[in-house]
């Protein structure tokens, strides 16, 4: 393709090709300082005109690659960076078969991992990002990669995708770590944040899962936590996994082992300060 | 070298991996041609770089799981149709997997394809609908299109397992120029241990040939041709296979497509074929050009050639006036 870039995020290497320079230039700035990609890529992403004339006239970026959703809507070129991120996520969601994918924010401390998972908008991404700035090792805000052979989680520290109100929480971050503000995306306003340096430096280091939390954000929610039964944890994690079914018995064994060994709680919170205090308390009290 | 051509050479002869300069491009072309799992099995045990070995291992595991799912889906259909007493013939990928035939190794399997006698269609429909399959939402024209002119029912999807079933009642569209004898294929089909059936060897080859060259626009052609290569290699050990295949091809009005398939399989995959039956044709070059229209980024290339074969696929499917009306209807949407 006209322009190409290789990226390595955690154990996964991507080859991204684009008909335009801008999305890749933005991606390169955002991922500055990441280790060099493997010579052979796990996945290929293509950003190409939805139709030939769309390269110039009202250019729109179709997201394609090894794995493609037939009905994925193209994005306008100014959102090309988002298209690249979506393209990489799509390859993982549809093509990743080595690890069980958990749609979750993951942070770690002393080699042990905290899994934050829940419905879209529950705040797992924001919480993982905040914790990553406050003494935790950020491992990812999108996917946890559970290795069925070892039971360990591998980091997948791609650029953090801050959405809408969460942008303001990181106004103080080093501007060099922030991508452009993307307005009018399907999920509102988005800005990407490069993870902290130690998250990138240690992205080959897996961690043992030690606690699962199901956060739920609501401005009027009283801060409280409650236990979640093993069966419910299991079902919620199958729903949070994009490849649980396609992994078959390996996925089932990995997930049942995780649920049997790792304690889980649901937490409601009305502010991020409350959430962080609760996370610290539950982490200290984990079984 | 064209990455699709390199892919065919490596599949035919894995000892040529020394020729691979760009593994990412090869893997990408293989995935785009639905040959990723096949390549992974062909290269099992070959000395490849560690990263490639790990990608291929994932692909083999994935193919094994896909096989399990496909066979389970066949079993679900068997249970749904068992009481009707209607013979159910598995087709394509599921048939290869159920019969343990060589093309199944690493093959991706999408929908479940079955063949049943045309007269049994109402009962098959009823039994499947009763067992949890539902019509994929279609408009009235699509439904009419399938039922009046096509060789299969409109697609059905299972509401819990989210898997599609294609119920074929003949081999090519009812309107197609060539008219294979579906009833003869069903009559000569072979029972598997569990009561499901597969086509007899010659018919299995001819069914793959019909789909590759007498229908469709050659999308996925390299994979279909690989199926044919693997089938021929496993069947030709039987004496008199070639003469039976020849006779059967004439019976089904598929001699010319069969000959083309034999020549191209031999060219791409070095399939041992009987030269006298394969014959010659200058037109093969164009087919070759179409089959290799894929680059190392997984992109479809050679737009003009592709368009030509797309037009041809419709031309083969229906007479000109009917085609004109059909395209007009599609264009109005």
């Amino acid at each position: 393709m006209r322009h190409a870039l290789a990226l390595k995020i955690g154990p996964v290497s991507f080859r991204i090709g684009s008909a335009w320079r801008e999305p890749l230039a933005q991606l390169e700035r955002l991922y500055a300082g990441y280790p060099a990609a493997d010579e052979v890529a796990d996945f290929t992403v293509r950003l190409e005109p939805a139709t030939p004339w769309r390269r110039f006239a009202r250019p729109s970026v179709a997201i394609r690659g090894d794995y493609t959703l037939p009905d994925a809507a193209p994005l306008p070129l100014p959102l090309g960076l988002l298209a690249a991120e979506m393209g990489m996520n799509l390859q993982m969601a549809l093509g990743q078969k080595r690890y069980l994918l958990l749609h979750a924010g993951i942070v770690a401390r002393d080699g042990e991992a905290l899994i934050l998972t829940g419905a879209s908008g529950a705040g797992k991404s924001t919480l993982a990002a905040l914790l990553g700035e406050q003494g935790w090792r950020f491992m990812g805000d999108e996917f946890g990669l559970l290795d069925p052979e070892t039971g360990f989680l591998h980091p997948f520290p791609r650029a953090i995708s801050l959405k809408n109100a969460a942008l303001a929480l990181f106004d103080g971050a080093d501007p060099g770590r922030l991508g452009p503000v993307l307005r009018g995306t399907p999920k509102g306003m988005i800005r990407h944040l490069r993870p902290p340096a130690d998250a990138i430096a240690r992205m080959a280091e897996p961690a043992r899962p030690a606690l699962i939390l199901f956060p739920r954000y609501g401005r009027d929610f009283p801060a409280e936590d409650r236990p979640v039964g093993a069966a419910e944890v299991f079902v919620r994690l199958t729903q949070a996994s994009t490849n649980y079914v396609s992994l078959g018995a390996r996925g089932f064994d990995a997930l049942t082992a995780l649920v049997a060994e790792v304690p889980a709680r649901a937490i409601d919170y009305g502010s991020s300060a409350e959430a962080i205090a609760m996370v610290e308390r539950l982490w200290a009290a984990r079984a | 070298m064209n990455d699709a051509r390199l892919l065919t050479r490596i599949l035919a002869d894995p000892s040529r991996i020394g020729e691979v300069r760009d593994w990412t491009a090869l893997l990408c072309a293989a995935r785009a041609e639905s040959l990723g799992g096949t390549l992974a099995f062909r290269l099992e045990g070959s000395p490849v770089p560690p990263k490639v070995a790990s990608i291929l291992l994932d692909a083999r595991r994935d193919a094994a799981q896909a096989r399990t799912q496909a066979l389970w889906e066949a079993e679900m259909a068997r249970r749904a149709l068992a009481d009707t007493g209607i013979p159910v013939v598995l087709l394509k990928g599921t048939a290869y997997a159920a019969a343990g035939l060589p093309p199944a190794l690493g093959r991706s399997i999408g929908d479940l394809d079955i063949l049943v006698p045309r007269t049994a269609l109402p009962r098959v429909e009823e039994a499947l609908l009763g067992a949890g399959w539902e019509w994929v939402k279609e408009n009235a024209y699509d439904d009419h299109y399938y039922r009046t002119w096509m060789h299969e029912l409109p697609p059905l999807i299972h509401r819990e397992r989210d898997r599609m079933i294609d119920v074929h009642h003949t081999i090519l569209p009812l309107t197609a120029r060539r008219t294979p004898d579906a009833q003869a294929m069903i009559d000569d089909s072979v029972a598997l241990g569990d009561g499901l059936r597969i086509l007899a060897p010659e018919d299995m080859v001819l069914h793959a040939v019909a789909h590759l060259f007498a229908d469709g626009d050659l999308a996925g052609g390299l994979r279909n041709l690989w199926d044919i290569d693997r089938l021929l290699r496993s069947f030709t050990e039987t004496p008199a296979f070639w003469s039976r295949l020849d006779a059967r091809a004439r019976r089904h009005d598929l001699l010319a497509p069969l000959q083309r398939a034999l020549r191209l399989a031999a060219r791409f995959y070095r399939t041992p074929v009987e030269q006298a039956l394969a014959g010659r044709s200058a037109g093969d070059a164009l087919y070759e050009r179409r089959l290799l229209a894929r680059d190392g980024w997984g992109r479809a290339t050679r737009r003009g050639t592709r368009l030509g074969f797309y037009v041809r696929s419709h031309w083969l499917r229906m007479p000109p006036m009917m085609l004109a009306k059909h395209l007009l209807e599609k264009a109005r949407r």
Side-chain angles (χ1 to χ4, degrees):
Chain A
M1 296 199 65
R2 200 168 293 259
H3 307 279
L5 179 67
L7 278 185
K8 179 163 182 165
I9 302 170
V12 186
S13 286
F14 295 94
R15 174 179 69 154
I16 304 145
S18 173
W20 307 270
R21 206 182 69 81
E22 297 92 315
L24 296 192
Q26 290 176 344
L27 206 58
E28 208 165 6
R29 273 198 296 280
L30 195 55
Y31 285 88
Y34 275 64
D38 297 327
E39 199 168 313
V40 181
D42 293 271
F43 299 113
T44 292
V45 175
R46 302 196 313 266
L47 306 178
E48 55 192 18
T51 49
W53 55 90
R54 282 277 177 257
R55 201 172 134 224
F56 304 105
R58 281 191 293 124
S60 71
V61 186
I63 303 166
R64 300 195 178 120
D66 288 334
Y67 301 88
T68 300
L69 282 181
D71 47 0
L75 291 173
L77 184 55
L79 301 182
L81 175 63
L82 180 64
E85 288 284 335
M86 287 170 69
M88 288 190 280
N89 282 343
L90 187 67
Q91 302 315 307
M92 290 294 283
L94 300 179
Q96 176 57 253
K97 310 287 175 170
R98 193 171 319 157
Y99 306 105
L100 181 72
L101 289 181
L102 298 175
H103 189 48
I106 316 273
V107 291
R109 193 183 262 171
D110 306 326
E112 294 194 307
L114 164 65
I115 300 171
L116 296 157
T117 183
S120 192
K124 54 189 183 300
S125 180
T126 311
L127 267 181
L130 287 170
L131 291 166
E133 305 292 320
Q134 305 184 19
W136 294 74
R137 172 159 71 104
F138 175 84
M139 290 180 61
D141 79 326
E142 180 76 22
F143 291 125
L145 277 45
L146 183 66
D147 186 336
E149 269 73 56
T150 63
F152 275 54
L153 281 161
H154 286 260
F156 188 64
R158 36 151 267 175
I160 299 155
S161 161
L162 303 169
K163 295 179 195 83
N164 301 312
L167 266 69
L169 296 172
F170 293 86
D171 276 345
D174 169 8
R177 287 175 59 198
L178 287 163
V181 177
L182 305 171
R183 291 191 170 79
T185 81
K187 289 192 168 177
M189 190 160 58
I190 287 183
R191 191 172 201 188
H192 292 95
L193 172 71
R194 186 192 312 137
D198 80 306
I200 299 166
R202 297 170 66 189
M203 74 181 199
E205 261 179 57
R208 193 174 63 78
L211 180 64
I212 301 167
L213 293 179
F214 295 98
R216 198 167 61 139
Y217 168 78
R219 193 170 299 163
D220 307 321
F221 285 174
E224 60 180 32
D225 69 281
R226 37 179 199 286
V228 190
E232 189 181 343
V233 175
F234 180 83
V235 171
R236 286 172 78 161
L237 289 177
T238 62
Q239 289 164 347
S241 173
T242 56
N243 66 352
Y244 170 71
V245 171
S246 70
L247 255 56
R250 284 175 75 231
F252 176 80
D253 292 341
L255 203 55
T256 44
L258 179 76
V259 172
E261 286 159 22
V262 182
R265 313 237 358 133
I267 58 176
D268 289 352
Y269 66 98
S271 76
S272 34
E274 274 175 10
I276 288 171
M278 236 184 313
V279 165
E280 294 288 357
R281 180 167 56 75
L282 293 170
W283 181 259
R286 73 192 185 280
Chain B
M1 190 193 307
N2 168 297
D3 287 284
R5 187 182 298 281
L6 180 61
L7 172 63
T8 62
R9 293 202 175 158
I10 301 278
L11 285 174
D13 181 3
S15 73
R16 297 179 71 163
I17 50 170
E19 293 171 33
V20 181
R21 297 282 161 265
D22 182 347
W23 276 101
T24 306
L26 180 70
L27 293 169
C28 188
R31 283 174 181 164
E33 290 292 334
S34 305
L35 281 164
T38 303
L39 180 69
F41 275 95
R42 278 303 269 171
L43 295 184
E44 190 171 12
S46 294
V48 298
K51 176 82 189 186
V52 176
S54 130
I55 292 172
L56 297 179
L57 174 63
D58 291 346
R60 286 194 295 272
R61 279 184 177 151
D62 192 34
Q65 175 61 21
R67 177 179 180 281
T68 304
Q69 276 188 309
L71 292 179
W72 179 248
E73 204 54 29
E75 170 62 14
M76 292 295 96
R78 186 195 68 76
R79 290 184 196 177
L81 297 169
D83 289 345
T84 64
I86 298 163
V88 176
V89 183
L90 299 174
L91 298 174
K92 306 187 206 177
T94 312
Y96 308 149
L101 287 164
L105 205 59
R107 194 186 191 280
S108 60
I109 305 174
D111 307 340
L112 170 63
D113 293 280
I114 62 170
L115 171 68
V116 298
R118 192 160 188 226
T119 50
L121 276 182
R123 281 185 296 148
V124 170
E125 257 186 79
E126 189 187 22
L128 291 176
L129 292 171
W133 277 271
E134 295 171 338
W135 300 115
V136 177
K137 286 269 178 261
E138 306 255 2
N139 67 25
Y141 176 76
D142 286 333
D143 195 65
H144 172 71
Y145 169 83
Y146 273 103
R147 287 175 186 277
T148 316
W149 297 318
M150 283 300 109
H151 52 299
E152 58 195 19
L153 289 179
L156 288 150
I157 192 160
H158 196 274
R159 64 168 164 260
E160 282 155 24
R161 295 189 307 279
D162 205 29
R163 302 271 298 194
M164 304 250 278
I165 186 169
D166 284 336
V167 181
H168 302 240
H169 52 81
T170 182
I171 308 307
L172 289 175
L174 298 170
T175 51
R177 274 140 227 260
R178 297 183 182 276
T179 52
D181 184 346
Q183 190 56 50
M185 286 200 182
I186 294 172
D187 291 343
D188 290 349
S189 64
V190 181
L192 296 171
D194 61 2
L196 289 168
R197 309 182 73 83
I198 56 170
L199 294 174
E202 301 80 26
D203 283 345
M204 197 180 275
V205 171
L206 289 166
H207 184 254
V209 165
H211 274 276
L212 180 51
F213 289 125
D215 189 24
D217 61 357
L218 269 72
L222 287 182
R223 202 274 306 272
N224 293 342
L225 201 58
W226 177 257
D227 288 345
I228 292 168
D229 166 85
R230 294 292 108 176
L231 290 177
L232 288 172
R233 283 172 192 266
S234 67
F235 294 151
T236 47
E237 290 162 16
T238 320
F241 172 77
W242 289 112
S243 60
R244 286 211 306 272
L245 182 62
D246 185 346
R248 201 67 174 173
R250 290 170 204 275
R251 163 88 186 263
H252 290 308
D253 191 19
L254 288 170
L255 184 60
L258 171 67
Q259 291 174 313
R260 176 138 5 241
L262 296 181
R263 292 191 303 266
L264 286 165
R267 174 143 180 80
F268 283 150
Y269 300 129
R270 300 195 198 162
T271 318
V273 302
E274 190 164 275
Q275 292 300 333
L277 178 57
R280 291 173 189 286
S281 161
D284 289 352
L286 195 57
Y287 285 80
E288 186 171 336
R289 198 178 145 69
R290 169 63 187 86
L291 288 166
L292 297 178
R294 181 74 63 185
D295 72 8
W297 281 91
R299 288 180 295 186
T301 55
R302 300 173 181 167
R303 198 182 302 270
T305 307
R306 281 178 178 267
L307 179 65
F309 276 92
Y310 178 75
V311 171
R312 170 185 175 271
S313 75
H314 278 80
W315 180 253
L316 292 173
R317 279 192 158 200
M318 44 186 101
M321 267 317 284
M322 187 186 284
L323 175 58
K325 283 181 194 161
H326 174 64
L327 293 179
L328 188 67
E329 179 66 37
K330 297 277 260 195
R332 287 208 320 231
R333 294 192 190 165

